[in-house]
Amino acid sequence: MTGIAHISAADTKLAEVLLSLDVDKVQRQRVVEFIDVGLPSPHAENWRWSDLHRAVDKGLDDFPATAGQKTSVELSGISPDKTTFNSSHTDPITMLAGALAADTARRSYSIEQNHSEPLVLQAIKQNQLCASHVQIKIKSGCQVIILEEIADSGQILAVDVREFVLDPGAHLHRILICNKGLKQTRVQQSFVKVAENGHYSQFILDFGAELSRIETHLSYGGENAKATLSGAYLLTDTARADVTSVIHHPHLDCITRQLHKGIVLDHGQAVFQGKFHVPASGQQTDAKMGHHTLLLSDHGRVRAKPELEIYADDVLCAHGNTTGTLDEDALFYMRQRGLCEADARALLMRAFVAQTLEDLPQVMQEQVGDKIDTWLEQAL
Amino acid sequence: MVKNKMLEIKNLEVGINGSSDNILRGLNMSVPSGQVHAIMGPNGTGKSTLANVLAGREGYEIREGSVQFEGENLLELSPEERAAKGVFLSFQYPVEIPGVPAMTFLRAALNSQNKIRGEDKLSAPDFLRLAREKAAMLKVKPDMLKRAINVGFSGGEKKRMEILQMAILEPKLMVLDETDSGLDIDALKIVADGVNSMRSAKRSMIVITHYQRLLDYIKPDMVHVMAGGTIVKSGGPELAHELEKNGYEQFTPAVA
């Protein structure tokens, strides 16, 4: 519980708005519980570079407090589980999602067979303030691709919590595309549990927002599991993107591959926080983290914090982090062959992020590639 | 201007931005259409600077003189405009560009040049046919076209890729900056054969080299000796042999 001293203007405004919502008794209880806790402290280590309080405060200034349709969730026509929705997570973001989301936006799904076509996860948001909380369980040995795209349809604040539970040998390929939304504050928080021999692949493409925080907490639940986390952020104007992840390796022989790349133009601001945690039980962990940025504007900013917390003595853990600009020699070489400067820059930028797409399923390559190409055309 | 002069350099004085010293000091040179001119000289005399200035690299300050290409002021054009006009620089150290496949790069370059010249784009199948045909001619493996341009290529492969680009882009003026560096005898011969296959009455070449050996394969019409930022002696192909025998020492006092 936070003390009085920590209540910010954003907390107060948010509490007023939440209390004005027309909700049922159960949701009202979640509202009260959230207000008691408040937004994550801006002084907390993993929030100090992304000021959620400032973003919420700014967003709520324009909030007209009109009641709208409830947010609802769909997953490619698959029926949600009938069991009562239940989550073990009690962090402020999950609680905020609980306060904002009605039962229509709190769903659990079980995937019990392979799907060759991507399943589309959609939170249909019709309010300026909205949230969803979705749990997806992938049964043993099943393979599935789940695509989610966050559009800018006028939300001031969008909070989405995702829980993915992979049973032994399951393989989930998750693709999250976050479109640009300069007035939007969005927080996507995912909790992933990967059982033995499971494989979780995640690709995030973020074009930034007033604040776009994509947070992934992954924990291996058994031996020989694998996770591939990749993504790219492409920022223009005043767009901000924050990629935060914490990967726990408590079991033997788990493999993590993480690679994020970003391009920052104009007044774009990026945050990368990546943590590998390996307790003494996580022997033979093989984990690599990479974060590389092209910082192409004097006004842009990139903050990066790779963290390795290792207690096991027989592991392979590495991280690499770079910030740079385009290679002038390569630019001249390309122009000497006839490419105009903008085309040469676009080709180099495209090539820079291309590496993060290597792990994408074939069916998604074109869609994601087109998004990047469109951004490059508009940015240059 | 004499009608068949493709390139005319007059009294060219060039320095690096931020330094008052000149690297090129009153250089004069003219290359008629269809001729191959060799520039030889010791290290540090401005040979590569001349190549870079002709191609339009940034960072150089033109302090005096002029460069006319087919009667047009070359110095006021951007690097890509010069390329579209037909100026091609074969780099001493071709740049590695990770993530950009050679084929993608070549097609983008050709289409971009066509666009600047107001010509039509080449369709993808037509381009593929053209690239494959030229690659076979230059003994460039098709696999190399799929790889990122110059990344992990051997010295010989990089130079062959330069020649392949030339063959596809069909420039009017080819500037070969120490194309022989880093090549073994076999690779040198393949590269020289490629260059020779492009000789024509409408195409000129400037071959920059330290050694006479390359000129055994690419026979020049004229040989220029460069020292101290200017051309100190010009002559026929026999001048290269004389240099090989006597070295550059006879010209170095000119620098002092």
Side-chain angles (χ1 to χ4, degrees):
Chain A
M1 203 180 287
T2 44
I4 301 283
H6 289 180
I7 294 174
S8 70
D11 279 323
T12 312
K13 280 184 200 170
L14 193 55
E16 278 170 15
V17 170
L18 286 170
L19 289 169
S20 73
L21 297 176
D22 177 25
V23 298
D24 64 23
K25 239 169 98 180
V26 190
Q27 192 178 345
R28 173 60 60 123
Q29 181 56 35
R30 295 199 294 267
V31 166
V32 172
E33 282 169 7
F34 167 74
I35 291 173
D36 207 20
V37 172
L39 291 168
S41 166
H43 307 297
E45 176 63 24
N46 63 347
W47 278 99
R48 66 193 178 98
W49 285 338
S50 287
D51 194 343
L52 187 61
H53 289 254
R54 188 197 59 85
V56 168
D57 188 25
K58 196 174 158 193
L60 291 180
D61 275 344
D62 306 323
F63 184 63
T66 49
Q69 297 286 315
K70 285 176 180 168
T71 299
S72 59
V73 168
E74 281 178 10
L75 179 65
S76 283
I78 293 174
S79 306
D81 298 342
K82 292 197 170 65
T83 48
T84 319
F85 189 90
N86 202 357
S87 175
S88 59
H89 298 284
T90 54
D91 59 282
I93 295 299
T94 305
M95 291 178 78
L96 174 57
L100 280 167
D103 287 349
T104 51
R106 288 157 63 85
R107 297 289 191 211
S108 302
Y109 297 90
S110 299
I111 308 284
E112 292 172 345
Q113 61 186 64
N114 288 343
H115 290 266
S116 54
E117 286 298 306
L119 302 179
V120 178
L121 175 62
Q122 222 181 346
I124 301 150
K125 295 164 180 165
Q126 310 193 51
N127 278 340
Q128 286 180 304
L129 223 59
C130 55
S132 66
H133 189 153
V134 179
Q135 298 172 327
I136 298 177
K137 195 174 167 74
I138 319 285
K139 292 286 184 206
S140 191
C142 288
Q143 284 197 22
V144 65
I145 301 167
I146 294 178
L147 167 68
E148 184 174 7
E149 185 161 354
I150 300 180
D152 177 20
S153 42
Q155 285 82 39
I156 289 167
L157 178 64
V159 183
D160 297 295
V161 177
R162 303 287 176 260
E163 294 180 49
F164 298 103
V165 178
L166 277 68
D167 282 353
H171 184 178
L172 168 61
H173 216 130
R174 182 199 184 204
I175 293 118
L176 177 62
I177 298 174
C178 304
N179 290 299
K180 190 173 169 184
L182 288 183
K183 293 202 162 180
Q184 193 176 53
T185 293
R186 58 187 180 221
V187 183
Q188 249 265 5
Q189 185 161 276
S190 302
F191 299 98
V192 185
K193 189 93 182 168
V194 189
E196 67 265 23
N197 301 311
H199 186 180
Y200 177 76
S201 307
Q202 175 178 279
F203 175 81
I204 302 166
L205 182 61
D206 195 352
F207 296 98
E210 164 69 35
L211 177 63
S212 182
R213 163 90 158 203
I214 315 288
E215 198 171 314
T216 308
H217 297 262
L218 185 144
S219 184
Y220 293 110
E223 296 175 11
N224 281 310
K226 188 177 178 186
T228 317
L229 305 158
S230 55
Y233 54 80
L234 305 171
L235 308 177
T236 49
D237 298 314
T238 53
R240 293 162 191 243
D242 173 334
V243 193
T244 294
S245 60
V246 182
I247 317 296
H248 292 284
H249 302 79
H251 291 276
L252 281 175
D253 290 322
C254 290
I255 301 173
T256 302
R257 291 289 175 268
Q258 186 172 21
L259 178 67
H260 284 267
K261 288 196 169 190
I263 302 175
V264 178
L265 295 163
D266 304 332
H267 286 79
Q269 290 196 32
V271 170
F272 172 83
Q273 306 184 101
K275 182 171 181 172
F276 287 166
H277 177 254
V278 188
S281 57
Q283 300 292 8
Q284 304 283 314
T285 288
D286 174 359
K288 288 195 178 81
M289 181 199 300
H291 169 249
H292 308 283
T293 317
L294 286 177
L295 183 55
L296 302 180
S297 156
D298 290 344
H299 307 288
R301 185 177 274 187
V302 179
R303 293 175 169 109
K305 186 176 61 180
E307 286 178 280
L308 303 179
E309 190 178 334
I310 302 166
Y311 300 96
D313 57 7
D314 183 15
V315 299
L316 210 73
C317 284
H319 72 82
N321 193 83
T322 59
T323 301
T325 183
L326 292 173
D327 180 353
E328 288 297 329
D329 286 338
L331 273 177
F332 174 64
Y333 186 76
M334 296 170 102
R335 292 179 72 189
Q336 207 301 305
R337 296 297 183 257
L339 279 110
C340 71
E341 195 177 356
D343 287 350
R345 287 169 70 89
L347 205 52
L348 286 181
M349 284 153 79
R350 182 69 163 82
F352 178 76
V353 294
Q355 200 192 348
T356 66
L357 311 183
E358 284 171 3
D359 191 47
L360 269 179
Q362 204 56 39
V363 300
M364 290 304 304
Q365 292 273 352
E366 197 177 323
Q367 188 178 341
V368 171
D370 285 351
K371 284 254 170 206
I372 295 171
D373 290 338
T374 306
W375 180 84
L376 282 168
E377 273 169 35
Q378 288 166 358
L380 293 170
Chain B
M1 201 195 89
V2 183
K3 214 176 174 188
N4 72 344
K5 287 270 156 51
M6 180 171 284
L7 184 76
E8 180 95 65
I9 304 172
K10 279 187 185 162
N11 192 30
L12 192 61
E13 305 248 344
V14 173
I16 290 178
N17 288 341
S19 160
S20 60
D21 290 344
N22 282 353
I23 302 169
L24 299 183
R25 297 170 185 165
L27 186 135
N28 290 292
M29 184 182 178
S30 66
V31 185
S33 293
Q35 288 203 355
V36 175
H37 285 214
I39 298 179
M40 300 182 75
N43 287 322
T45 54
K47 300 189 301 294
S48 288
T49 297
L50 175 64
N52 282 324
V53 166
L54 290 176
R57 193 180 195 119
E58 283 172 16
Y60 294 100
E61 201 176 274
I62 316 294
R63 295 179 179 148
E64 194 68 58
S66 66
V67 178
Q68 300 272 316
F69 178 69
E70 295 193 310
E72 214 176 328
N73 181 1
L74 192 67
L75 300 177
E76 64 184 14
L77 302 177
S78 66
E80 54 270 30
E81 285 168 332
R82 297 179 199 207
K85 293 271 178 212
V87 177
F88 185 100
L89 169 63
S90 173
F91 285 58
Q92 185 178 357
Y93 305 107
V95 184
E96 298 189 3
I97 310 178
V100 181
M103 199 65 133
T104 308
F105 175 62
L106 280 168
R107 187 160 171 241
L110 184 61
N111 281 337
S112 185
Q113 288 203 12
N114 285 348
K115 193 177 155 193
I116 296 173
R117 289 191 291 256
E119 295 166 6
D120 287 339
K121 261 190 180 180
L122 206 62
S123 74
D126 283 349
F127 175 78
L128 204 64
R129 216 170 296 127
L130 174 74
R132 283 201 183 128
E133 178 201 318
K134 302 279 186 187
M137 202 179 81
L138 290 162
K139 298 187 176 69
V140 170
K141 288 180 221 133
D143 159 65
M144 251 169 74
L145 295 172
K146 290 181 199 151
R147 282 159 60 192
I149 189 142
N150 297 329
V151 178
F153 287 18
S154 70
E157 285 174 330
K158 281 182 183 172
K159 295 296 164 81
R160 247 180 287 170
M161 184 53 78
E162 294 287 286
I163 308 301
L164 173 64
Q165 293 180 46
M166 252 185 247
I168 288 172
L169 298 171
E170 299 193 319
K172 290 178 187 163
L173 174 68
M174 290 155 53
V175 182
L176 294 109
D177 189 7
E178 294 194 26
T179 289
D180 48 343
S181 73
L183 293 187
D184 59 37
I185 299 281
D186 296 334
L188 184 70
K189 211 170 165 315
I190 293 169
V191 167
D193 286 347
V195 172
N196 285 330
S197 72
M198 294 193 66
R199 287 181 86 144
S200 92
K202 289 179 181 166
R203 189 171 283 136
S204 307
M205 300 185 195
I206 295 174
V207 181
I208 296 171
T209 182
H210 284 295
Y211 307 106
Q212 180 261 330
R213 197 180 61 184
L214 178 68
L215 304 180
D216 283 344
Y217 295 103
I218 304 172
K219 303 259 188 240
D221 297 292
M222 286 274 286
V223 174
H224 306 276
V225 181
M226 202 166 158
T230 192
I231 286 167
V232 290
K233 191 170 182 182
S234 299
E238 70 287 349
L239 183 54
H241 290 276
E242 190 193 315
L243 286 169
E244 193 76 359
K245 217 167 102 191
N246 302 328
Y248 293 117
E249 217 163 75
Q250 51 177 316
F251 302 109
T252 34
V255 188

